[in-house]
Amino acid sequence: MADGNDTKSSNQMWGGRFASGPAAIMEEINASIGFDKKLYAQDIRGSMAHAAMLAEKGIISHEDKDKITEGLNTILSEIQNGTFEFSRKLEDIHMNIEARLANLIGPAAGRLHTARSRNDQVALDFRLWVKEELQKTEAMLTDLIAAFLDRAEQHADTVMPGFTHLQTAQPVTFGHHCMAYVEMFGRDRARVRHAIEHLDESPIGAAALAGTGYPIDRHMTAKALGFREPTRNSIDTVSDRDFALEFLSIASICATHLSRLAEEIVIWSTPQFGFIRLSDAFSTGSSIMPQKKNPDAAELVRAKTGRINGSLVALLTVMKGLPLAYSKDMQEDKEQVFDAAESLELAIAAMTGMIRDLEVRTDKMRAAAGSGYSTATDLADWLVREAGLPFRDAHHATGHAVALAEKKGCDLADLSLEELQAINPAITNGIFDVLSVEASVASRTSFGGTAPSEVRKQIAWWRARN
C-alpha cells in the first residue's frame, strides 16, 4: 500500500511518471490484496464517512456523495455475497474498491479521494480493524474470567498441593489456584482496554504526510467513525504502527498466560497426577494405543504462543529502522496481526471451553495435597507462634521432623507427640491442629491468601467487576 491517484490499472494509478507497467515480479511483491482484503468493511466505512464530510464542507456535491454512498453499499454487498472480483493488478483493497466504484458510478468516484491519501486511508482501516479486534478480545477474556470464577466458587474448599519448582510446597485450594488465572487474565483485559484508549484517534485527513489544504473537518469524521478525536500530527499519523505493536504485545503476554495454563492442564491430566479429566470434546486418541486420551487442545494452545510471539518480533523488526513518514515496508504489518489475532481468538475460545468442561478429581487433589510434607511450614510457624522460637530455629527443627517422617515413611501428622518432643520439647498436642491440609489452608487468611474465606472474598470482588 502506498499513496496513489484514481485508477483502473496499476499503470494509470501511477500516472504519467511511469511509461510502462510493472514487471511480473514487481507486481507479485507489490500486491497486498491477498491479505488486506480483510479490511474491506473498514475501508468502505471510512470512505463513507469521508464522503459525508466532504459534502458537508462543500468540497464535493451532495449528489456525488449520494452516488458514492450508494456505490459503496453495492460493493459491500458484492464482497459479502462473494461476487466481487479482486484484482492483483490493482494491488490493494483501496484501489480494488475505488476501481469498482468508478465502474458503478462513473466520474463521481474520482472525487472520493479528494483530501486523502492511501497512507492515511490504510492507517484508518487498520486502526479500525485492530480496535474491533481488541473489543472482541476484551469480550472473550471476560468470558474466560467468568469460567474461572465459576470454577473457583465451586472449589473454594477443595485442597490441592501448591507447587514451587514443580515440587510440592504448601497446601492451597483449587479455587485459589483458579483465582491466580483470574488475576492474570484480568491484567490482560486491562491492557486491552488501555490499548483501545491509546489508539482511539482517527487518522483520516492526515493525507500523505503533511495534511491537506482543503477545508476538511477531521473532528466530524472522527466522531462518525467512533473515535474519541483525530490524531494531532500528520507525519506520525501515517507512520505510526504502535497500535499494531501494542496489540501484538498484549497478544503475546496473554498467550504466555494461556500457555502456562495449558501446560498445567497437560500435566494434571496425566495418570501420574490425575487431578483433572478433559472432556472428549477437547481430547483425541492415539492411532495405535487405544488407552490414550491426549490433551491435544491444550497442547495446541501452548504451541500458538510461538506463532504469536513470532508475529510480534517480526513487526518490531520491520518497524525498527524506518525513517518518517510512510515506507512500503509497512505493508508487512497486517499479516502478522491478522495471524496473531486468529491464533489468540482460537486459543482463548479453546481454553474457555476446556475450563468449563473439565472434570475436577477432588479425591486425587486431596491425596496429593498432603504429600511431600506440605504442612512443614505450618509446623515451623507453630513453633514460632506458640513456642516462641526464632524462625530459623523453627525451620531447623522442622527439617529434623521431615527427615524423621521420611525415614519412617509417614506424614508429619503421623509422627507421635513423643517423637516431635524429642526434636523440640516445647511441642504440645496443639501441633496436630495445624498439620492437616484443611487446617493449613484455613489458617492462610492474609489478604489474597488461600483460605476458603479469603478466596470467596476475592471471587465476590471480581464478580462485581467482571
Side-chain angles (χ1 to χ4, degrees):
M1 296 179 183
D3 187 29
N5 299 313
D6 308 330
T7 181
K8 291 186 180 179
S9 71
S10 297
N11 190 33
Q12 288 173 333
M13 178 187 67
W14 292 345
R17 171 66 178 82
F18 295 88
S20 62
I25 195 166
M26 179 60 191
E27 181 178 303
E28 185 66 23
I29 197 172
N30 198 45
S32 60
I33 189 60
F35 53 85
D36 70 21
K37 61 185 176 183
K38 188 185 287 283
L39 300 174
Y40 74 89
Q42 291 77 19
D43 195 73
I44 290 172
R45 183 182 167 197
S47 290
M48 286 181 175
H50 184 64
M53 181 275 296
L54 292 176
E56 182 67 22
K57 299 300 292 182
I59 299 171
I60 67 173
S61 69
H62 283 278
E63 181 183 357
D64 281 345
K65 185 265 291 184
D66 292 341
K67 288 181 180 178
I68 289 168
T69 302
E70 182 180 354
L72 290 172
N73 275 321
T74 298
I75 294 169
L76 181 62
S77 296
E78 290 176 348
I79 295 175
Q80 290 174 337
N81 294 334
T83 59
F84 187 93
E85 294 186 13
F86 293 100
S87 169
R88 288 183 65 80
K89 290 184 180 300
L90 294 172
E91 293 186 17
D92 56 35
I93 187 62
H94 321 302
M95 300 314 301
N96 270 265
I97 289 175
E98 190 170 329
R100 176 60 178 150
L101 186 63
N103 290 337
L104 287 171
I105 68 171
R111 298 187 176 92
L112 173 60
H113 208 53
T114 305
R116 76 173 183 184
S117 158
R118 279 196 295 171
N119 294 352
D120 61 340
Q121 190 177 356
V122 67
L124 171 66
D125 295 357
F126 197 23
R127 195 175 285 234
L128 281 171
W129 192 93
V130 171
K131 182 179 179 181
E132 292 168 11
E133 190 62 32
L134 285 166
Q135 290 167 335
K136 190 184 303 182
T137 303
E138 179 184 9
M140 294 185 74
L141 285 171
T142 296
D143 287 345
L144 178 56
I145 290 168
F148 269 113
L149 289 173
D150 290 343
R151 282 296 186 183
E153 199 159 49
Q154 293 164 5
H155 296 283
D157 297 287
T158 300
V159 291
M160 66 173 288
F163 300 94
T164 61
H165 309 278
L166 203 56
Q167 304 294 313
T168 300
Q170 292 176 282
V172 297
T173 64
F174 184 55
H176 191 53
H177 198 98
C178 288
M179 291 304 292
Y181 284 105
V182 169
E183 295 288 333
M184 288 187 208
F185 295 122
R187 290 192 298 273
D188 291 331
R189 187 175 62 180
R191 278 185 279 268
V192 167
R193 289 170 175 170
H194 291 155
I196 293 172
E197 182 180 351
H198 293 162
L199 68 72
D200 206 17
E201 299 175 342
S202 173
I204 199 69
L209 79 161
T212 179
Y214 290 97
I216 62 172
D217 185 345
R218 295 189 64 210
H219 289 84
M220 177 181 172
T221 48
K223 183 178 180 180
L225 292 165
F227 288 106
R228 182 181 64 248
E229 59 187 342
T231 55
R232 294 179 177 273
N233 183 279
S234 58
I235 295 176
D236 176 64
T237 297
V238 299
S239 59
D240 166 43
R241 291 299 183 269
D242 290 6
F243 62 91
L245 289 169
E246 192 164 10
F247 172 79
L248 290 174
S249 176
I250 292 166
S252 292
I253 296 170
C254 183
T256 298
H257 291 156
L258 291 165
S259 184
R260 296 182 73 181
L261 174 57
E263 174 70 5
E264 292 201 316
I265 288 174
V266 170
I267 292 171
W268 290 350
S269 63
T270 61
Q272 291 78 9
F273 272 75
F275 286 2
I276 62 170
R277 283 194 186 100
L278 288 175
S279 71
D280 292 347
F282 293 99
S283 307
T284 64
S286 167
S287 61
I288 63 169
M289 294 172 283
Q291 83 282 9
K292 294 288 294 299
K293 187 174 183 179
N294 299 324
D296 283 13
E299 291 172 357
L300 288 167
V301 167
R302 189 173 57 186
K304 293 289 184 187
T305 306
R307 290 181 65 154
I308 294 170
N309 289 349
S311 294
L312 172 60
V313 172
L315 187 53
L316 284 168
T317 306
V318 167
M319 296 301 297
K320 73 175 182 62
L322 300 186
L324 300 180
Y326 183 89
S327 295
K328 190 72 170 182
D329 311 50
M330 291 162 71
Q331 182 168 291
E332 293 294 314
D333 56 1
K334 291 159 206 68
E335 286 181 284
Q336 310 302 331
V337 173
F338 294 159
D339 186 76
E342 182 178 340
S343 295
L344 184 64
E345 277 186 39
L346 193 55
I348 296 175
M351 193 55 73
T352 303
M354 278 186 276
I355 295 304
R356 290 200 185 280
D357 285 1
L358 62 81
E359 175 190 344
V360 180
R361 302 184 66 188
T362 57
D363 56 334
K364 288 280 192 176
M365 287 187 175
R366 173 62 183 80
S371 67
Y373 310 106
S374 64
T375 58
T377 305
D378 297 276
L379 172 56
D381 287 343
W382 188 93
L383 288 169
V384 172
R385 186 173 59 251
E386 303 296 333
L389 269 66
F391 183 79
R392 285 302 171 199
D393 293 345
H395 188 282
H396 187 70
T398 301
H400 280 298
V402 169
L404 177 60
E406 201 168 40
K407 183 178 179 181
K408 294 187 65 177
C410 67
D411 293 331
L412 287 173
D414 296 326
L415 294 174
S416 69
L417 178 62
E418 292 74 19
E419 287 171 324
L420 290 170
Q421 287 177 332
I423 294 171
N424 190 294
I427 295 176
T428 69
N429 261 322
I431 193 66
F432 295 104
D433 293 335
V434 302
L435 290 183
S436 73
V437 291
E438 287 80 10
S440 174
V441 297
S443 71
R444 307 290 173 180
T445 55
S446 58
F447 185 82
T450 193
S453 59
E454 187 60 28
V455 170
R456 290 188 176 94
K457 287 178 186 177
Q458 296 303 326
I459 293 170
W461 188 90
W462 271 99
R463 285 207 185 280
R465 290 157 179 78
N466 197 39

